[in-house]
Amino acid sequence: MNRQSGRRVAVTGYGALCSLGNSVDEIWDSIGQYKVGYRRVEHPEAPIVARFFGVMDNKPPRKQFSKAILKFLPEFAKLGMSAAAEAIHSAFGDTDLDQLCDPFERGVIFGTGWGAQDESTINNNAFRDGGTASPFSNLLVMPSVATAAISMQWNLRGYQNTPVAACATGSIAVGDAYEVIRSGRAKVMLAGGGESIREGFGVWSIDALRALSKEQEVLERACCPFSLDRSGFVLSEGAAVLCLEDYEFAKARGARILAEIVGYGNYSDARDITSPAEDLLARTMTIRTACAQAGMPADAIDYVNAHGTSTPLNDLNETQALKLALGNAAKYVPISSTKSYTGHLIAATGAIESIFCIKTLQTGLMPATIHLARPDPECDLDYIPNEHRHKQGLRHVLNLNYGFGGSNSALIFAAADA
Protein backbone atom coordinates (compact mmCIF):
# COMPACT_ATOMS: atom_id res chain seq x y z
CA MET A 1 0.00 0.00 0.00
CA ASN A 2 1.45 3.35 -1.05
CA ARG A 3 0.40 5.56 1.86
CA GLN A 4 1.41 9.18 2.23
CA SER A 5 4.38 10.03 4.43
CA GLY A 6 3.87 9.88 8.18
CA ARG A 7 3.93 7.36 10.96
CA ARG A 8 1.54 4.44 10.76
CA VAL A 9 -1.32 4.39 13.27
CA ALA A 10 -2.77 1.27 14.88
CA VAL A 11 -5.99 0.80 16.81
CA THR A 12 -5.22 -1.31 19.86
CA GLY A 13 -8.31 -0.86 22.02
CA TYR A 14 -11.89 0.33 22.06
CA GLY A 15 -14.77 0.89 24.44
CA ALA A 16 -18.40 1.82 24.01
CA LEU A 17 -21.77 1.87 25.74
CA CYS A 18 -25.23 2.74 24.55
CA SER A 19 -28.77 1.45 24.87
CA LEU A 20 -27.69 -1.83 23.22
CA GLY A 21 -25.14 -2.67 25.92
CA ASN A 22 -22.41 -1.50 28.27
CA SER A 23 -19.46 -2.83 26.27
CA VAL A 24 -18.33 -3.26 22.69
CA ASP A 25 -18.99 -7.00 22.79
CA GLU A 26 -22.51 -6.56 24.19
CA ILE A 27 -23.37 -3.97 21.56
CA TRP A 28 -21.91 -5.96 18.67
CA ASP A 29 -23.67 -9.13 19.83
CA SER A 30 -26.94 -7.18 19.95
CA ILE A 31 -26.46 -6.02 16.38
CA GLY A 32 -25.66 -9.58 15.32
CA GLN A 33 -28.99 -10.64 16.81
CA TYR A 34 -30.89 -7.78 15.11
CA LYS A 35 -31.72 -6.16 18.44
CA VAL A 36 -32.83 -2.52 18.49
CA GLY A 37 -31.70 -0.11 21.19
CA TYR A 38 -34.54 2.40 21.05
CA ARG A 39 -38.14 2.23 22.15
CA ARG A 40 -41.22 4.36 22.57
CA VAL A 41 -40.73 6.92 25.35
CA GLU A 42 -43.34 9.46 26.39
CA HIS A 43 -42.01 12.90 27.26
CA PRO A 44 -44.37 14.82 29.53
CA GLU A 45 -43.56 18.02 27.66
CA ALA A 46 -46.45 18.33 25.19
CA PRO A 47 -44.60 20.19 22.41
CA ILE A 48 -42.27 17.21 21.76
CA VAL A 49 -43.49 15.30 18.72
CA ALA A 50 -40.85 12.53 18.72
CA ARG A 51 -41.77 9.31 20.49
CA PHE A 52 -38.79 6.96 20.00
CA PHE A 53 -35.49 7.32 21.87
CA GLY A 54 -32.42 5.24 22.67
CA VAL A 55 -32.17 5.78 26.43
CA MET A 56 -29.82 3.84 28.70
CA ASP A 57 -31.60 2.24 31.67
CA ASN A 58 -28.75 0.17 33.14
CA LYS A 59 -25.57 2.17 33.16
CA PRO A 60 -22.37 0.59 34.50
CA PRO A 61 -21.08 1.38 38.01
CA ARG A 62 -18.55 4.17 38.30
CA LYS A 63 -16.78 3.21 41.54
CA GLN A 64 -13.45 2.83 39.74
CA PHE A 65 -13.28 6.56 39.02
CA SER A 66 -12.05 9.28 41.33
CA LYS A 67 -14.87 10.88 43.33
CA ALA A 68 -13.02 14.17 43.08
CA ILE A 69 -13.42 13.95 39.30
CA LEU A 70 -16.95 12.53 39.13
CA LYS A 71 -18.43 15.33 41.21
CA PHE A 72 -18.06 17.88 38.41
CA LEU A 73 -18.99 15.64 35.48
CA PRO A 74 -22.19 15.83 33.43
CA GLU A 75 -23.71 12.61 32.16
CA PHE A 76 -22.08 12.63 28.71
CA ALA A 77 -18.68 12.86 30.39
CA LYS A 78 -19.44 10.02 32.82
CA LEU A 79 -20.38 7.85 29.87
CA GLY A 80 -17.12 8.90 28.22
CA MET A 81 -15.16 7.81 31.29
CA SER A 82 -16.71 4.33 31.11
CA ALA A 83 -15.93 4.03 27.41
CA ALA A 84 -12.35 5.22 27.98
CA ALA A 85 -11.86 2.69 30.79
CA GLU A 86 -12.90 -0.15 28.50
CA ALA A 87 -10.67 1.13 25.69
CA ILE A 88 -7.65 1.39 27.98
CA HIS A 89 -8.20 -2.08 29.40
CA SER A 90 -8.72 -3.44 25.90
CA ALA A 91 -5.39 -1.96 24.79
CA PHE A 92 -3.20 -2.35 27.87
CA GLY A 93 -4.88 -4.81 30.21
CA ASP A 94 -3.77 -4.14 33.76
CA THR A 95 -0.39 -2.69 32.77
CA ASP A 96 0.40 0.71 34.27
CA LEU A 97 0.62 3.23 31.42
CA ASP A 98 3.59 4.90 33.10
CA GLN A 99 5.56 1.70 32.49
CA LEU A 100 4.97 1.98 28.75
CA CYS A 101 5.48 5.61 27.82
CA ASP A 102 5.95 9.07 29.23
CA PRO A 103 2.70 10.84 30.25
CA PHE A 104 3.56 13.65 27.83
CA GLU A 105 3.57 11.14 24.96
CA ARG A 106 -0.07 10.17 25.47
CA GLY A 107 -3.14 12.34 25.07
CA VAL A 108 -6.88 12.49 24.50
CA ILE A 109 -9.37 14.02 22.07
CA PHE A 110 -12.94 13.63 23.27
CA GLY A 111 -15.79 15.58 21.76
CA THR A 112 -19.43 16.35 22.28
CA GLY A 113 -22.17 17.87 20.18
CA TRP A 114 -24.37 19.54 22.78
CA GLY A 115 -22.36 18.79 25.91
CA ALA A 116 -24.08 19.28 29.23
CA GLN A 117 -27.26 20.84 27.87
CA ASP A 118 -29.37 18.86 30.33
CA GLU A 119 -27.27 19.87 33.33
CA SER A 120 -27.24 23.48 32.14
CA THR A 121 -31.03 23.51 31.96
CA ILE A 122 -31.47 21.82 35.34
CA ASN A 123 -29.11 24.18 37.14
CA ASN A 124 -30.43 27.27 35.40
CA ASN A 125 -33.96 26.33 36.45
CA ALA A 126 -32.80 25.67 40.02
CA PHE A 127 -31.08 29.05 40.19
CA ARG A 128 -34.06 30.84 38.64
CA ASP A 129 -36.54 29.21 41.01
CA GLY A 130 -34.53 29.07 44.23
CA GLY A 131 -31.55 31.37 43.84
CA THR A 132 -28.99 28.58 44.03
CA ALA A 133 -27.64 25.67 41.98
CA SER A 134 -24.71 23.26 41.93
CA PRO A 135 -21.47 24.99 42.91
CA PHE A 136 -19.90 23.04 40.05
CA SER A 137 -22.32 24.45 37.47
CA ASN A 138 -19.62 26.26 35.56
CA LEU A 139 -17.52 23.10 35.27
CA LEU A 140 -20.49 20.87 34.46
CA VAL A 141 -21.25 22.88 31.32
CA MET A 142 -17.65 23.22 30.13
CA PRO A 143 -17.51 21.36 26.77
CA SER A 144 -13.97 20.14 27.48
CA VAL A 145 -14.82 18.71 30.90
CA ALA A 146 -14.79 15.11 29.64
CA THR A 147 -11.43 15.58 27.94
CA ALA A 148 -10.07 17.04 31.16
CA ALA A 149 -11.50 14.24 33.30
CA ILE A 150 -10.11 11.48 31.09
CA SER A 151 -6.67 13.10 31.09
CA MET A 152 -6.77 13.43 34.88
CA GLN A 153 -7.99 9.89 35.55
CA TRP A 154 -5.22 8.28 33.47
CA ASN A 155 -2.50 10.95 33.65
CA LEU A 156 -2.61 11.75 29.93
CA ARG A 157 -0.43 14.85 29.76
CA GLY A 158 0.14 15.00 26.02
CA TYR A 159 -1.97 16.53 23.26
CA GLN A 160 -5.59 17.20 24.17
CA ASN A 161 -8.54 18.77 22.39
CA THR A 162 -12.34 18.83 22.40
CA PRO A 163 -13.95 18.90 18.96
CA VAL A 164 -17.54 20.10 18.80
CA ALA A 165 -18.84 19.26 15.34
CA ALA A 166 -22.36 17.96 15.92
CA CYS A 167 -22.86 14.49 14.46
CA ALA A 168 -19.38 14.26 12.91
CA THR A 169 -17.64 14.91 16.23
CA GLY A 170 -16.66 11.35 17.11
CA SER A 171 -15.04 10.52 13.78
CA ILE A 172 -13.29 13.90 13.65
CA ALA A 173 -11.86 13.16 17.11
CA VAL A 174 -10.53 9.83 15.82
CA GLY A 175 -9.22 11.40 12.62
CA ASP A 176 -7.49 14.25 14.41
CA ALA A 177 -5.89 11.83 16.89
CA TYR A 178 -4.69 9.82 13.91
CA GLU A 179 -3.04 12.94 12.51
CA VAL A 180 -1.43 13.77 15.87
CA ILE A 181 0.25 10.35 15.96
CA ARG A 182 1.16 10.45 12.26
CA SER A 183 2.98 13.73 12.87
CA GLY A 184 5.01 12.21 15.72
CA ARG A 185 3.44 14.37 18.44
CA ALA A 186 2.20 11.40 20.48
CA LYS A 187 2.64 7.66 20.84
CA VAL A 188 -0.78 6.95 22.35
CA MET A 189 -4.09 8.80 21.92
CA LEU A 190 -7.58 8.14 23.20
CA ALA A 191 -10.24 9.50 20.87
CA GLY A 192 -14.02 9.51 20.78
CA GLY A 193 -17.16 11.30 21.86
CA GLY A 194 -20.21 11.16 24.08
CA GLU A 195 -23.75 12.48 24.28
CA SER A 196 -26.69 12.39 26.66
CA ILE A 197 -29.74 14.54 25.93
CA ARG A 198 -32.80 13.40 27.89
CA GLU A 199 -34.32 16.49 29.51
CA GLY A 200 -37.37 18.08 27.94
CA PHE A 201 -35.78 21.29 26.70
CA GLY A 202 -32.79 19.55 25.12
CA VAL A 203 -35.00 17.05 23.31
CA TRP A 204 -37.49 19.73 22.26
CA SER A 205 -34.71 21.95 20.86
CA ILE A 206 -33.82 19.22 18.34
CA ASP A 207 -37.39 18.14 17.77
CA ALA A 208 -38.37 21.74 16.98
CA LEU A 209 -36.02 21.62 13.99
CA ARG A 210 -38.09 18.69 12.68
CA ALA A 211 -34.94 16.57 12.74
CA LEU A 212 -36.30 13.76 14.94
CA SER A 213 -38.44 10.89 13.71
CA LYS A 214 -42.12 11.76 13.30
CA GLU A 215 -43.22 8.13 13.68
CA GLN A 216 -45.60 7.75 16.61
CA GLU A 217 -46.33 4.04 16.91
CA VAL A 218 -44.39 1.60 14.72
CA LEU A 219 -40.80 0.95 15.79
CA GLU A 220 -39.77 -0.30 12.34
CA ARG A 221 -40.64 3.09 10.85
CA ALA A 222 -39.01 5.11 13.63
CA CYS A 223 -35.54 4.56 12.22
CA CYS A 224 -35.41 3.14 8.71
CA PRO A 225 -32.46 4.58 6.77
CA PHE A 226 -32.80 4.78 2.98
CA SER A 227 -36.49 3.83 3.23
CA LEU A 228 -39.49 5.67 1.83
CA ASP A 229 -40.87 5.61 5.39
CA ARG A 230 -38.00 7.59 6.93
CA SER A 231 -38.98 10.81 8.68
CA GLY A 232 -36.08 11.77 10.95
CA PHE A 233 -33.51 10.30 13.32
CA VAL A 234 -33.90 8.63 16.70
CA LEU A 235 -31.99 10.45 19.45
CA SER A 236 -29.86 8.10 21.58
CA GLU A 237 -27.32 8.47 24.36
CA GLY A 238 -23.94 6.81 24.72
CA ALA A 239 -20.19 7.14 24.32
CA ALA A 240 -17.35 5.47 22.45
CA VAL A 241 -13.56 5.70 22.63
CA LEU A 242 -10.76 4.19 20.53
CA CYS A 243 -7.16 3.77 21.64
CA LEU A 244 -4.74 4.71 18.87
CA GLU A 245 -1.00 4.06 18.96
CA ASP A 246 2.06 4.66 16.88
CA TYR A 247 2.17 1.42 14.91
CA GLU A 248 5.84 0.67 15.58
CA PHE A 249 5.46 1.50 19.27
CA ALA A 250 2.48 -0.84 19.54
CA LYS A 251 4.30 -3.57 17.66
CA ALA A 252 7.39 -3.23 19.83
CA ARG A 253 5.41 -3.61 23.06
CA GLY A 254 3.65 -6.69 21.71
CA ALA A 255 0.22 -5.09 21.48
CA ARG A 256 -2.73 -6.76 19.83
CA ILE A 257 -3.37 -4.64 16.75
CA LEU A 258 -7.08 -4.57 15.97
CA ALA A 259 -6.86 -2.51 12.78
CA GLU A 260 -4.91 0.28 11.17
CA ILE A 261 -6.19 3.72 10.24
CA VAL A 262 -4.92 4.55 6.78
CA GLY A 263 -7.04 7.46 5.54
CA TYR A 264 -8.88 10.52 6.87
CA GLY A 265 -10.83 13.28 5.16
CA ASN A 266 -12.52 16.34 6.67
CA TYR A 267 -14.19 19.11 4.66
CA SER A 268 -16.99 21.62 5.23
CA ASP A 269 -20.16 22.29 3.25
CA ALA A 270 -20.15 26.01 4.15
CA ARG A 271 -23.74 26.23 2.88
CA ASP A 272 -26.48 25.61 5.45
CA ILE A 273 -26.62 25.10 9.21
CA THR A 274 -28.75 21.94 9.09
CA SER A 275 -29.15 20.74 5.48
CA PRO A 276 -26.36 19.03 3.49
CA ALA A 277 -24.94 20.99 0.57
CA GLU A 278 -26.69 20.19 -2.67
CA ASP A 279 -23.43 20.45 -4.65
CA LEU A 280 -22.08 17.31 -2.86
CA LEU A 281 -18.54 18.68 -3.16
CA ALA A 282 -17.43 18.54 0.49
CA ARG A 283 -18.74 15.02 1.04
CA THR A 284 -17.11 13.91 -2.19
CA MET A 285 -13.80 15.57 -1.31
CA THR A 286 -13.90 13.97 2.14
CA ILE A 287 -14.17 10.46 0.71
CA ARG A 288 -11.66 11.02 -2.08
CA THR A 289 -9.12 12.55 0.29
CA ALA A 290 -9.36 9.58 2.66
CA CYS A 291 -8.82 7.22 -0.27
CA ALA A 292 -5.89 9.26 -1.55
CA GLN A 293 -4.24 9.32 1.87
CA ALA A 294 -4.70 5.55 2.07
CA GLY A 295 -3.16 5.22 -1.39
CA MET A 296 -6.04 3.14 -2.66
CA PRO A 297 -8.65 3.34 -5.43
CA ALA A 298 -12.34 3.52 -4.65
CA ASP A 299 -12.93 -0.05 -5.78
CA ALA A 300 -10.62 -1.32 -3.02
CA ILE A 301 -13.22 -0.42 -0.36
CA ASP A 302 -14.91 -3.61 0.85
CA TYR A 303 -17.66 -2.09 3.00
CA VAL A 304 -19.03 1.34 3.91
CA ASN A 305 -20.63 2.19 7.25
CA ALA A 306 -22.82 5.06 6.08
CA HIS A 307 -24.00 7.98 8.17
CA GLY A 308 -27.54 6.87 7.27
CA THR A 309 -29.56 8.97 9.71
CA SER A 310 -33.04 8.08 8.38
CA THR A 311 -33.70 11.72 7.51
CA PRO A 312 -35.12 12.48 4.06
CA LEU A 313 -32.35 14.93 3.11
CA ASN A 314 -29.28 13.13 4.43
CA ASP A 315 -29.98 9.69 3.03
CA LEU A 316 -30.61 10.97 -0.48
CA ASN A 317 -27.65 13.36 -0.40
CA GLU A 318 -25.38 10.65 0.97
CA THR A 319 -26.43 8.27 -1.79
CA GLN A 320 -25.65 10.89 -4.42
CA ALA A 321 -22.31 11.75 -2.81
CA LEU A 322 -21.24 8.10 -2.71
CA LYS A 323 -22.01 7.76 -6.41
CA LEU A 324 -20.00 10.87 -7.22
CA ALA A 325 -17.06 10.00 -4.97
CA LEU A 326 -16.76 6.30 -5.77
CA GLY A 327 -17.89 6.33 -9.37
CA ASN A 328 -18.76 2.94 -10.81
CA ALA A 329 -17.54 1.22 -7.61
CA ALA A 330 -20.51 2.69 -5.74
CA LYS A 331 -22.80 0.22 -7.50
CA TYR A 332 -21.04 -2.80 -6.04
CA VAL A 333 -19.72 -1.94 -2.57
CA PRO A 334 -21.90 -3.15 0.34
CA ILE A 335 -23.14 -0.23 2.46
CA SER A 336 -25.24 -0.12 5.61
CA SER A 337 -26.44 2.13 8.40
CA THR A 338 -25.96 0.76 11.91
CA LYS A 339 -28.08 3.61 13.24
CA SER A 340 -30.99 1.33 12.41
CA TYR A 341 -29.93 -0.54 15.59
CA THR A 342 -28.45 2.15 17.82
CA GLY A 343 -30.33 5.26 16.85
CA HIS A 344 -28.23 8.41 16.54
CA LEU A 345 -25.65 8.95 19.29
CA ILE A 346 -24.68 12.41 17.96
CA ALA A 347 -21.05 13.01 19.05
CA ALA A 348 -20.52 9.35 19.89
CA THR A 349 -21.81 8.08 16.57
CA GLY A 350 -18.60 8.49 14.55
CA ALA A 351 -16.54 6.74 17.20
CA ILE A 352 -18.93 3.85 17.78
CA GLU A 353 -19.37 3.33 14.05
CA SER A 354 -15.59 3.31 13.69
CA ILE A 355 -15.60 0.46 16.19
CA PHE A 356 -18.27 -1.31 14.12
CA CYS A 357 -16.02 -0.95 11.08
CA ILE A 358 -13.20 -2.64 12.97
CA LYS A 359 -15.52 -5.42 14.15
CA THR A 360 -16.57 -5.94 10.54
CA LEU A 361 -12.91 -6.35 9.54
CA GLN A 362 -12.37 -8.79 12.39
CA THR A 363 -15.49 -10.91 11.98
CA GLY A 364 -16.50 -10.59 8.33
CA LEU A 365 -20.00 -9.56 9.44
CA MET A 366 -21.38 -6.63 7.47
CA PRO A 367 -24.46 -5.54 9.45
CA ALA A 368 -27.70 -5.23 7.56
CA THR A 369 -29.66 -2.01 7.34
CA ILE A 370 -32.78 -3.21 9.09
CA HIS A 371 -36.31 -1.82 8.65
CA LEU A 372 -35.64 -1.42 4.94
CA ALA A 373 -39.00 -2.86 3.84
CA ARG A 374 -39.75 -0.09 1.35
CA PRO A 375 -36.48 1.14 -0.18
CA ASP A 376 -36.47 4.62 -1.61
CA PRO A 377 -35.88 4.10 -5.35
CA GLU A 378 -33.61 7.15 -5.33
CA CYS A 379 -31.45 5.52 -2.64
CA ASP A 380 -30.52 2.75 -5.03
CA LEU A 381 -27.15 1.48 -3.79
CA ASP A 382 -26.49 -1.86 -2.07
CA TYR A 383 -27.63 -0.96 1.43
CA ILE A 384 -27.57 -4.60 2.67
CA PRO A 385 -31.31 -4.73 3.31
CA ASN A 386 -32.58 -6.57 6.40
CA GLU A 387 -30.20 -9.58 6.41
CA HIS A 388 -26.57 -9.49 7.56
CA ARG A 389 -23.96 -10.35 5.00
CA HIS A 390 -20.83 -12.38 5.74
CA LYS A 391 -17.55 -12.29 3.87
CA GLN A 392 -14.11 -13.28 5.09
CA GLY A 393 -10.93 -11.52 4.04
CA LEU A 394 -12.24 -7.95 4.14
CA ARG A 395 -9.33 -5.56 3.84
CA HIS A 396 -10.57 -1.96 3.86
CA VAL A 397 -13.72 -0.35 5.25
CA LEU A 398 -14.92 3.24 5.09
CA ASN A 399 -16.74 5.09 7.87
CA LEU A 400 -18.72 8.22 6.96
CA ASN A 401 -20.19 10.82 9.29
CA TYR A 402 -21.77 14.21 8.72
CA GLY A 403 -23.14 16.88 11.03
CA PHE A 404 -25.09 20.10 11.43
CA GLY A 405 -22.98 23.07 10.41
CA GLY A 406 -21.75 21.24 7.33
CA SER A 407 -19.12 19.04 8.96
CA ASN A 408 -18.07 15.98 6.93
CA SER A 409 -15.63 13.24 7.86
CA ALA A 410 -14.37 9.97 6.40
CA LEU A 411 -12.10 7.34 7.93
CA ILE A 412 -10.60 4.29 6.26
CA PHE A 413 -9.66 1.31 8.39
CA ALA A 414 -7.44 -1.51 7.15
CA ALA A 415 -7.30 -5.06 8.49
CA ALA A 416 -4.43 -5.52 10.91
CA ASP A 417 -2.38 -7.49 8.40
CA ALA A 418 -3.30 -5.42 5.34
Side-chain angles (χ1 to χ4, degrees), residues 328-373:
N328 195 55
K331 299 177 185 178
Y332 307 105
V333 62
I335 306 164
S336 68
S337 170
T338 47
K339 288 183 181 68
S340 54
Y341 305 89
T342 64
H344 197 340
L345 278 68
I346 313 295
T349 197
I352 201 169
E353 288 166 8
S354 291
I355 293 171
F356 296 159
C357 284
I358 295 169
K359 295 298 284 185
T360 291
L361 285 171
Q362 292 176 318
T363 65
L365 169 65
M366 293 178 280
T369 304
I370 54 173
H371 306 158
L372 195 49

Side-chain angles (χ1 to χ4, degrees), residues 75-396:
E75 187 61 26
F76 89 89
K78 292 175 181 177
L79 296 175
M81 291 283 280
S82 294
E86 184 187 1
I88 288 174
H89 188 267
S90 171
F92 304 107
D94 296 324
T95 303
D96 186 345
L97 293 182
D98 289 340
Q99 297 178 14
L100 298 174
C101 65
D102 189 280
F104 290 97
E105 294 179 320
R106 56 187 196 248
V108 54
I109 302 177
F110 188 90
T112 181
W114 278 267
Q117 189 173 60
D118 283 0
E119 288 79 6
S120 178
T121 300
I122 291 168
N123 282 280
N124 176 74
N125 292 347
F127 182 79
R128 180 197 61 201
D129 297 339
T132 187
S134 168
F136 301 111
S137 295
N138 181 266
L139 304 176
L140 281 165
V141 302
M142 186 171 71
S144 61
V145 68
T147 303
I150 292 170
S151 69
M152 293 165 64
Q153 180 72 36
W154 289 282
N155 195 27
L156 310 176
R157 305 194 68 183
Y159 185 94
Q160 71 150 280
N161 205 349
T162 304
V164 179
C167 311
T169 298
S171 53
I172 286 175
V174 174
D176 286 358
Y178 160 70
E179 294 290 5
V180 168
I181 294 176
R182 282 185 76 239
S183 70
R185 296 181 64 183
K187 289 183 178 178
V188 176
M189 291 292 299
L190 296 186
E195 211 77 63
S196 180
I197 304 173
R198 296 178 61 159
E199 290 293 311
F201 170 71
V203 174
W204 173 86
S205 69
I206 304 174
D207 192 54
L209 298 174
R210 298 186 61 78
L212 299 183
S213 176
K214 316 303 181 297
E215 178 57 39
Q216 299 293 290
E217 299 293 340
V218 182
L219 182 142
E220 289 78 12
R221 292 203 296 262
C223 185
C224 48
F226 309 109
S227 167
L228 282 171
D229 296 319
R230 69 189 189 274
S231 63
F233 68 81
V234 168
L235 180 64
S236 299
E237 64 177 335
V241 171
L242 284 75
C243 180
L244 278 53
E245 295 187 47
D246 177 286
Y247 194 96
E248 296 305 321
F249 170 75
K251 190 176 178 181
R253 74 173 186 84
R256 177 188 58 158
I257 295 176
L258 305 174
E260 183 178 357
I261 303 178
V262 295
Y264 172 46
N266 178 342
Y267 289 91
S268 179
D269 284 346
R271 284 293 182 274
D272 189 270
I273 196 66
T274 57
S275 299
E278 294 182 359
D279 64 13
L280 309 174
L281 294 180
R283 290 187 173 187
T284 301
M285 281 281 289
T286 297
I287 296 169
R288 288 178 174 171
T289 297
C291 288
Q293 190 175 69
M296 54 182 279
D299 61 8
I301 297 171
D302 296 311
Y303 164 75
V304 178
N305 189 299
H307 193 52
T309 56
S310 192
T311 59
L313 283 177
N314 173 80
D315 292 4
L316 178 57
N317 188 284
E318 184 166 18
T319 299
Q320 295 168 338
L322 281 163
K323 291 178 179 179
L324 190 60
L326 302 181
N328 195 55
K331 299 177 185 178
Y332 307 105
V333 62
I335 306 164
S336 68
S337 170
T338 47
K339 288 183 181 68
S340 54
Y341 305 89
T342 64
H344 197 340
L345 278 68
I346 313 295
T349 197
I352 201 169
E353 288 166 8
S354 291
I355 293 171
F356 296 159
C357 284
I358 295 169
K359 295 298 284 185
T360 291
L361 285 171
Q362 292 176 318
T363 65
L365 169 65
M366 293 178 280
T369 304
I370 54 173
H371 306 158
L372 195 49
R374 296 204 313 141
D376 184 339
E378 293 191 86
C379 297
D380 56 354
L381 298 178
D382 179 8
Y383 286 117
I384 316 181
N386 303 314
E387 295 288 336
H388 298 323
R389 200 169 298 170
H390 300 265
K391 184 179 179 180
Q392 295 304 312
L394 299 175
R395 308 294 283 175
H396 301 98

Side-chain angles (χ1 to χ4, degrees), residues 26 28-36 341 365 388:
E26 287 183 12
W28 187 249
D29 287 347
S30 294
I31 289 174
Q33 297 173 43
Y34 300 98
K35 292 182 180 178
V36 171
Y341 305 89
L365 169 65
H388 298 323

